Structure formats: structure tokens, C-alpha cells
Amino acid sequence: MTIAMTAFKEKIRRKELYIVSAIGILVLLIFGTGTGTLSIDGVPITDYTMLAPILLVVLNALACILAFITSFSTIPNEYERRTSHLVWIRNVSQARYHGELTLANILAGLVSEAILFVVLFIFMLTNGRVAELWRLIPVYLIIAINVVIVSTLTGMLSIVIPKTFAASISVVATLVGIFHGLLYLLKDVIGGFGGMLVKYVLKILPDLHSIQSQAGNVLCGRDFDIHTILVGLLFAYIFTVLILVLKRKEA
């Protein structure tokens, strides 16, 4: 765990993490304290039951973006700095090395998510939902699945392909996952080969939107689909196994 903790401490000292988190908190506050007059079926958009799920959508997107930011350069940078050779001297396997670096990414992502959740905590307090604050625990854990998926996917790609390409693919996969529901609707509008391509891309990439939707159901006291959560955990498991199996030629 020494490698993981060292990498984690390095990440939480980076100013970029807190700058992006601060921007995220500002965005969440704007959504959470809006005073617009828009209404749906006579219910103001500022009503808790309407605004809480929207706030969670924004929070999920920000948490996934922060997970990507903390993960995309970790493994490549270690090899570029030749830090890895100091590890090989101690007979540490690539599987352990990559695994611990990925664990550091996940921990940093979870810390970023926790920082964002402060806004959701305040939002519930100001809306008199003190008795429902316990729901933040399962909601946090469900959104954490998306954080782990993005962190492990990004880490896995950075092992086998150059950093720039890995980052590009990870960004696309993350955005597709966040907007999975919207893209699913658009595939029929696109039609033809393009629609078919979108359909198959959506099938092979993690549906971060559906996982976030289940977190929204828990937050609002509605029933949630455990199957969606299990599928998300399966993706995280597969990416983790690949991180432990795949190797870099530079080692």
C-alpha cells in the first residue's frame, strides 16, 4: 500500500484538484439555489423533488470529470519520470504497481466526490430534509461506482496506448456514459449506419447515466434497480482485472 498512499498524497496536494472542485461547487451552488420561475405541471423547478435529481446529475458529471482528471496521467507520468525502475529493483510486479497507482486514483476521485457532496448536504439541510440525510450514504456509494469505473477505465487505457490517445478515448467514453440516456434517444433520430454505430457503442460502454439515475431514486425515496448497479460493478471489476493483467513494454 506504500505506493498507493504515496501517489494519493501527491494527488491531494495538487492545486488543480481543488481548483476544479471549487468550480464544481460553484456550479452546484448555482443549480441548488436557483430562483427561476420555470415550472413543470405547475410544480416549480426549484421544488426539492424536481431540483434534487437535477443537482445529482450535475454532481455525477463533475465527479466523473474529476475522476478522469486525477487518473489520465498517473501511470504514464510514472514511466516518463522513470520512477517505475526504482520499483522494479524492489521486485514489485507490474500488476501490483499498476493496481496501487489505480487505487490512488480512485481514492483521489472519492475525495473529490466527497467535496462535491458537501453542497448536496447543505442543499438538503436548507430544504428541511434533515430526516433524510442518511440517504446521502447510499447515494454517495452509488455515484462512487461511476468514479471507480472512470478511474479504472482511464488507468487501463493508459497502460496499453499512448497518454494522449488514452485520454481522448477516456473523455469520449466518460461523456458517452454521462449522456447515455440522451444518446440512446438520438440513435433512432440519426438512423442508418450512424444510428447503428451509436447503438453498438452504447452497448459496450458503461452506462454512467443509469447508475446516477438509481442514486437519484434513492435520494428521493423511490425504488431503484439493483441490476443496473450490479452491471456497473461488473464493468469496474473487468477494468480492474485488465489493469492487473495488462503490461507495459517499457518495464
Side-chain angles (χ1 to χ4, degrees):
M1 293 292 290
T2 303
I3 298 172
M5 294 311 299
T6 301
F8 173 66
K9 290 176 182 178
E10 180 180 338
K11 287 181 177 298
I12 61 175
R13 286 196 296 262
R14 292 177 58 182
K15 292 185 293 185
E16 295 91 337
L17 176 65
Y18 298 103
I19 292 173
V20 176
S21 295
I23 295 173
I25 289 174
L26 179 61
V27 172
L28 287 170
L29 286 173
I30 291 172
F31 275 88
T33 59
T35 56
T37 57
L38 178 65
S39 62
I40 299 177
D41 294 332
V43 179
I45 198 68
T46 51
D47 180 79
Y48 176 84
T49 56
M50 299 292 292
L51 193 53
I54 296 175
L55 195 61
L56 197 58
V57 168
V58 179
L59 189 151
N60 175 69
L62 291 170
C64 290
I65 292 170
L66 282 167
F68 164 77
I69 291 174
T70 57
S71 302
F72 81 95
S73 62
T74 302
I75 293 176
N77 283 354
E78 290 296 316
Y79 281 90
E80 289 173 6
R81 293 186 299 185
R82 300 293 180 180
T83 311
S84 55
H85 292 287
L86 298 176
V87 175
W88 309 144
I89 294 173
R90 301 172 188 172
N91 293 320
V92 176
S93 65
Q94 278 204 50
R96 178 185 167 188
Y97 187 51
H98 295 158
E100 291 205 30
L101 290 176
T102 302
L103 177 58
N105 292 337
I106 293 171
L107 292 175
L110 294 178
V111 168
S112 301
E113 182 193 350
I115 293 173
L116 296 176
F117 257 73
V118 171
V119 177
L120 190 56
F121 176 82
I122 296 172
F123 173 73
M124 292 183 69
L125 280 180
T126 56
N127 280 270
R129 303 282 173 158
V130 178
E132 300 174 11
L133 285 175
W134 65 270
R135 291 178 182 169
L136 288 178
I137 297 174
V139 170
Y140 175 87
L141 294 175
I142 294 173
I143 297 296
I145 295 173
N146 283 348
V147 171
V148 174
I149 289 173
V150 173
S151 296
T152 52
L153 171 62
T154 304
M156 181 267 293
L157 291 173
S158 69
I159 293 174
V160 293
I161 57 180
K163 181 168 66 174
T164 302
F165 293 130
S168 300
I169 295 173
S170 297
V171 167
V172 172
T174 300
L175 293 177
V176 168
I178 292 172
F179 297 105
H180 194 282
L182 177 61
L183 291 172
Y184 187 82
L185 295 175
L186 287 178
K187 70 177 176 58
D188 294 328
V189 176
I190 297 172
F193 175 77
M196 186 179 298
L197 179 62
V198 171
K199 176 182 177 181
Y200 284 109
V201 168
L202 292 177
K203 280 188 174 182
I204 62 174
L205 292 179
D207 186 355
L208 306 179
H209 167 75
S210 289
I211 296 172
Q212 166 262 305
S213 295
Q214 303 314 311
N217 289 338
V218 172
L219 184 63
C220 295
R222 298 190 292 261
D223 293 335
F224 67 96
D225 180 17
I226 189 64
H227 176 263
T228 299
I229 295 174
L230 292 176
V231 171
L233 290 172
L234 178 61
F235 270 108
Y237 174 77
I238 291 172
F239 295 148
T240 300
V241 170
L242 289 174
I243 285 171
L244 299 177
V245 171
L246 297 174
K247 300 182 182 298
R248 284 182 71 105
K249 295 179 181 179
E250 298 97 313

